[in-house]
Amino acid sequence: MGESLLEIKNLVTSFPWPEGELKAVDGLDLNIRPAQILGLVGESGCGKSMTALSILGLVPSPGRVSRGSIKFKGEELLGASTERLQKIRGAEISMIFQEPMTSLNPVFTVGRQISELILAHRKMDKKKAWELTVESLAQVGIADPENRAGAYPHQLSGGMRQRVVIAMALALKPALIIADEPTTALDVTIQAQILGLMESLQQKTQSAFLLITHNLAVVAKMAHRVAVMYTGRLVEQADVTELFDHPLHPYTKGLMACLPSRSQELGVDLPTIPGVVPPLDALPKGCNFSDRCPEAFSLCREAEPALVEVSSGHMVRCFLHHKEVRKKRKAAA
């Protein structure tokens, strides 16, 4: 598998609840290698964004990372001081948010915001920081970057603001960039431009990416490896080609069936996965997907399946792929 840049083991991020705790992230294991793009996929409410906030030490109160390990370049981030995390955030791990207006300060010019980030992490004078700011804006395809650097966020279009956020994320050449639904707030044409830009910049900078999205088409185009989450749990993980050629979990299959291209190939109406992601305080007994799963059987509603490796690097959390269960079902048939 190669050396890990980011290694997450048994991560649990929880919120207090009268009956104990609600696990927004529940026993998550993830690895990202240098220069790798890992796609983290699932519907809204599956724990993807909470995973990102856990990595950055930004889980909103009263939530907390209650157990597990998050190692970045071999250094344990859980329990690290606020000062240490501030040094890592922006410089070594940066984030691209889905709505740029939430990550840009409306009262400062975009150039000032990028240059202040640079000055906070690098020892250089203001002139050099400004030159690096303009260079960063040019790198993301912003025309006339010197003048654009003097603009306020509200003076720029949505696509332009997202380019600014990407410029800010890349300014210090971080080893890892977390992109949380980076194109959701943009129209389709601009989405394609931004994704193409991110892909070319990743190839150029060789930064690793954690690409968080509900859009499997984006993952198919950009990711090297894919992890599928449901109700805070990892339900499937594989290399991108393997996952698209041989999806195993019924949830993954459902997400893929919802792709317009896949429906067109089959000549059917665009399907949907029945039901909705259950709230954390009302999870079904047994497998968390059992009440929405077309392939569920009695055991699925009684016990929780473990994550098993079906083939090299292909993990799935489903009784349909537990050898012992399959033998018993076959014998009983």
Side-chain angles (χ1 to χ4, degrees), residues 130-142:
W130 186 258
E131 287 171 3
L132 191 52
T133 295
V134 174
E135 187 184 307
S136 298
L137 291 172
Q139 188 181 26
V140 297
I142 291 179

Side-chain angles (χ1 to χ4, degrees), residues 86-284:
Q86 284 173 344
K87 282 185 178 177
I88 291 171
R89 287 196 294 258
E92 296 189 66
I93 304 175
S94 62
M95 188 153 178
I96 300 168
F97 293 91
Q98 59 179 292
E99 176 43 72
M101 284 305 275
T102 62
S103 48
L104 293 172
N105 191 321
V107 301
F108 296 119
T109 65
V110 295
R112 178 174 170 181
Q113 292 180 63
I114 297 173
S115 61
E116 284 188 353
L117 170 73
I118 293 166
L119 290 167
H121 292 281
R122 297 284 186 269
K123 289 181 179 176
M124 62 175 68
D125 59 37
K126 288 184 178 180
K127 183 174 181 291
K128 180 66 179 168
W130 186 258
E131 287 171 3
L132 191 52
T133 295
V134 174
E135 187 184 307
S136 298
L137 291 172
Q139 188 181 26
V140 297
I142 291 179
D144 195 10
E146 184 81 49
N147 279 330
R148 291 290 189 184
Y152 291 88
H154 73 271
Q155 295 174 312
L156 303 175
S157 67
M160 196 75 79
R161 284 195 294 263
Q162 195 62 303
R163 285 173 186 265
V164 169
V165 171
I166 294 169
M168 194 179 287
L170 290 166
L172 296 169
K173 299 179 172 58
L176 174 65
I177 294 169
I178 301 171
D180 188 4
E181 300 279 10
T183 61
T184 300
L186 307 172
D187 69 48
V188 176
T189 309
I190 305 299
Q191 279 186 22
Q193 291 176 11
I194 295 296
L195 290 169
L197 170 67
M198 285 171 56
E199 193 172 25
S200 64
L201 289 172
Q202 191 276 334
Q203 288 167 3
K204 189 175 174 183
T205 62
Q206 288 295 290
S207 292
F209 267 73
L210 175 60
L211 178 62
I212 296 171
T213 182
H214 63 274
N215 189 335
L216 275 167
V218 170
V219 166
K221 185 177 186 300
M222 289 186 65
H224 301 122
R225 193 163 174 79
V226 189
V228 183
M229 278 185 87
Y230 187 74
T231 57
R233 302 209 122 196
L234 187 67
V235 296
E236 188 162 4
Q237 185 172 195
D239 289 340
V240 66
T241 306
E242 168 70 12
L243 190 93
F244 277 82
D245 287 350
H246 305 289
L248 298 178
H249 198 283
Y251 182 58
T252 309
K253 292 176 185 176
L255 291 174
M256 288 193 178
C258 297
L259 283 170
S261 57
R262 190 62 64 99
S263 299
Q264 285 162 8
E265 283 171 22
L266 299 172
V268 296
D269 291 336
L270 190 64
T272 57
I273 300 172
V276 295
V277 178
L280 294 175
D281 61 339
L283 295 175

